Amino acid sequence: MSATDVITPSKLKPMPVSQPVELAPKPSLIGLTREEMAAALREKGVADKQIKMRVSQLWNWIYVRGVSDFDAMANVSKDMREMLKTHFTIARPEIVEEQVSNDGTRKWLLRYPPRGAGRPVEVETVYIPEEGRGTLCISSQVGCSLTCSFCHTGTQRLVRNLTAEEILSQLLLARDRLGDFPDREAPQGTVMPAEGRKVSNIVMMGMGEPLYNFDSVKTALLIASDGDGLSLSKRRITLSTSGVVPEIYRTGDEIGVMLAISLHAVRDDLRDMLVPINKKYPLKELMDACRAYPGLSNARRITFEYVMLKGVNDSLEDAKGLIQLLKGVPAKINLIPFNPWPGTNYQCSDWEQIEKFADFINSAGYASPIRTPRGRDILAACGQLKSESERMRKTERLAFEAMMIANHGED
Ligand code: SAH
Ligand code: SF4
């Protein structure tokens, strides 16, 4: 059996990136706040007294029922649907490729039409099914302007920020592909069931630094958590940052989702090398921002991500430093075995060392799950994402997959 099934739906033929796109696409209604949607409708002549009702109908169709075609909006008059079709879109991005890992992880390469004078861009979104839950890992930028030395995305320049529409449509598309929207024929007033959904959690841990795209990420996450939107509890949404301190304060005040910090080192000299934004916002400032994060308790902890790099940050001295650093902060520690990518000089710590490190942390009272790498064979694991502009050519990918199978077996 091959390690990876690549599914390219035939009706979604890839379009060469260089192909000129004739017309600027119509503006999307996805990712607009209620106020923005009201303004867009008003501008197209919808009467003031209708606006509130129309916005609420549209939100229900778009987010609760997940339609991607105005004609499916049964309780919207034909004239109104024609008007909407003329001026707006609610289409999904194009799926360039869908890959399914042998562990069930799925990765979609999505293409978005150009915004303004730009080119189409591509991003990756990853779905990780687990017992009783499923997590969607969403990208916030195409590439990343930061250059964490162990991260594949960090080797790719920043192409641009994603819009709120593009961030949210990753979630809508995953729900489409996973059959995670309620039956489209269900009666009006249908609400999203709170339990049993395939995408039960989202993490802003794909490509990019979400806090360098604060406004769009905020809008998207507030719609994702809105009871009339995608109704995900804020406790099931986690935003991961490399440590953009001023925006950590704003995240707490204005978004209120769970926070994850890409820590990876407990000394400034080492963190300066691994996560260079540390030079701007060193550990002391980062930890102050974490301590001030609103709503923390034993039940609502900050996750500290710690990638295990052989001979770099994996000594028991580092583990001791970690416990000291986190003193007084309700914290979970996520040990992430380093996921290799072609061209990296780092190696993952030996399993024995990871376990010793984890034991030390456990004995200090922290649960420290070692995150099992998921989707490594399709380069979908943490820090392996990269978009089309620099993604591996097929031959390179096959060689890489062969290497992964040789190293990890096929089970
Ligand atoms: N830019 C944000 C979110 C995306 S990265 C951030 O840095 O927090 C998601 C997580 O994967 C981060 O903790 C990141 O440091 C980690 N990561 C990056 N490259 C990795 C790799 N090669 N192996 C394991 N984890 C990696
Ligand atoms: Fe960017 Fe996060 Fe990768 Fe650092 S770890 S380069 S912030 S995506």
Side-chain angles (χ1 to χ4, degrees), residues 150-151 205-206 208 240-242 262 264 305 307 336 338-339 382-383:
F150 53 89
C151 174
M205 291 189 187
S240 174
T241 177
S242 57
S262 292
H264 309 314
E305 297 159 281
V307 63
I336 316 175
F338 171 64
N339 289 309
C382 296

Side-chain angles (χ1 to χ4, degrees), residues 152-170:
H152 201 203
T153 309
T155 64
Q156 186 192 346
R157 72 190 169 85
L158 174 71
V159 177
R160 70 165 171 80
N161 280 339
L162 294 179
T163 62
E165 173 220 341
E166 292 163 338
I167 294 168
L168 263 182
S169 55
Q170 296 171 56

Side-chain angles (χ1 to χ4, degrees), residues 35-151:
E35 296 70 32
E36 288 167 343
M37 194 183 280
L41 296 182
R42 194 172 293 118
E43 199 194 305
K44 300 298 172 210
V46 177
D48 267 348
K49 60 179 189 320
Q50 276 197 17
I51 289 223
K52 207 167 163 219
M53 179 265 290
R54 292 296 181 203
V55 168
S56 133
Q57 275 180 333
L58 284 166
W59 266 50
N60 190 269
W61 282 113
I62 296 172
Y63 301 122
V64 180
R65 288 152 170 275
V67 305
S68 51
D69 175 3
F70 289 114
D71 279 332
M73 300 182 170
N75 62 350
V76 175
S77 70
K78 187 146 192 303
D79 285 354
M80 175 67 81
R81 293 201 309 253
E82 288 307 317
M83 184 285 278
L84 291 169
K85 268 195 269 181
T86 309
H87 298 293
F88 303 107
T89 176
I90 47 172
R92 305 283 188 256
E94 180 190 353
I95 302 175
V96 180
E97 191 171 80
E98 178 176 74
Q99 287 178 274
V100 185
S101 158
N102 48 22
D103 67 13
T105 301
R106 277 167 192 252
K107 181 168 84 169
W108 294 282
L109 177 66
L110 305 178
R111 179 179 290 142
Y112 296 96
R115 301 291 164 199
R119 290 187 342 150
V121 291
E122 296 185 352
V123 294
E124 291 180 328
T125 303
V126 178
Y127 174 70
I128 306 150
E130 286 166 296
E131 197 57 39
R133 59 189 253 163
T135 302
L136 190 70
C137 179
I138 294 181
S139 295
S140 56
Q141 297 184 309
V142 184
C144 187
S145 60
L146 297 172
T147 51
C148 303
S149 52
F150 53 89
C151 174

Side-chain angles (χ1 to χ4, degrees), residues 64-342:
V64 180
R65 288 152 170 275
V67 305
S68 51
D69 175 3
F70 289 114
D71 279 332
M73 300 182 170
N75 62 350
V76 175
S77 70
K78 187 146 192 303
D79 285 354
M80 175 67 81
R81 293 201 309 253
E82 288 307 317
M83 184 285 278
L84 291 169
K85 268 195 269 181
T86 309
H87 298 293
F88 303 107
T89 176
I90 47 172
R92 305 283 188 256
E94 180 190 353
I95 302 175
V96 180
E97 191 171 80
E98 178 176 74
Q99 287 178 274
V100 185
S101 158
N102 48 22
D103 67 13
T105 301
R106 277 167 192 252
K107 181 168 84 169
W108 294 282
L109 177 66
L110 305 178
R111 179 179 290 142
Y112 296 96
R115 301 291 164 199
R119 290 187 342 150
V121 291
E122 296 185 352
V123 294
E124 291 180 328
T125 303
V126 178
Y127 174 70
I128 306 150
E130 286 166 296
E131 197 57 39
R133 59 189 253 163
T135 302
L136 190 70
C137 179
I138 294 181
S139 295
S140 56
Q141 297 184 309
V142 184
C144 187
S145 60
L146 297 172
T147 51
C148 303
S149 52
F150 53 89
C151 174
H152 201 203
T153 309
T155 64
Q156 186 192 346
R157 72 190 169 85
L158 174 71
V159 177
R160 70 165 171 80
N161 280 339
L162 294 179
T163 62
E165 173 220 341
E166 292 163 338
I167 294 168
L168 263 182
S169 55
Q170 296 171 56
L171 176 53
L172 297 175
L173 184 128
R175 288 230 153 119
D176 280 349
R177 298 295 294 168
L178 297 165
D180 202 23
F181 277 116
D183 185 349
R184 302 266 157 88
E185 306 302 316
Q188 257 302 292
T190 297
V191 291
M192 210 35 128
E195 297 300 324
R197 281 186 285 171
K198 297 216 170 71
V199 181
S200 61
N201 294 59
I202 58 177
V203 291
M204 296 302 299
M205 291 189 187
M207 290 167 67
E209 168 48 60
L211 295 189
Y212 273 175
N213 185 14
F214 187 86
D215 291 338
S216 299
V217 167
K218 172 182 166 181
T219 303
L221 294 185
L222 291 181
I223 294 175
S225 58
D226 194 300
D228 295 324
L230 284 139
S231 334
L232 278 168
S233 152
K234 286 186 180 177
R235 303 188 55 155
R236 290 175 176 266
I237 301 178
T238 302
L239 183 151
S240 174
T241 177
S242 57
V244 189
V245 165
E247 268 68 31
I248 293 178
Y249 289 99
R250 287 187 68 195
T251 303
D253 293 340
E254 300 175 36
I255 315 181
V257 293
M258 306 299 282
L259 188 64
I261 302 287
S262 292
L263 190 64
H264 309 314
V266 294
R267 300 189 325 263
D268 278 321
D269 59 335
L270 181 58
R271 195 161 190 272
D272 284 351
M273 274 166 26
L274 298 179
V275 187
I277 199 181
N278 193 68
K279 292 184 202 148
K280 197 162 177 194
Y281 304 114
L283 282 167
K284 158 105 183 51
E285 288 179 34
L286 176 62
M287 294 314 296
D288 285 347
C290 289
R291 282 196 185 84
Y293 200 74
L296 293 184
S297 68
N298 270 348
R300 263 177 71 95
R301 297 164 189 247
I302 296 180
T303 301
F304 289 88
E305 297 159 281
Y306 197 94
V307 63
M308 298 300 293
L309 300 169
K310 185 172 184 166
V312 176
N313 65 353
D314 62 350
S315 70
L316 290 188
E317 207 43 46
D318 290 302
K320 216 181 276 172
L322 182 55
I323 303 302
Q324 256 153 23
L325 191 71
L326 299 186
K327 219 171 251 162
V329 185
K332 280 192 277 203
I333 299 167
N334 238 340
L335 298 181
I336 316 175
F338 171 64
N339 289 309
W341 38 271

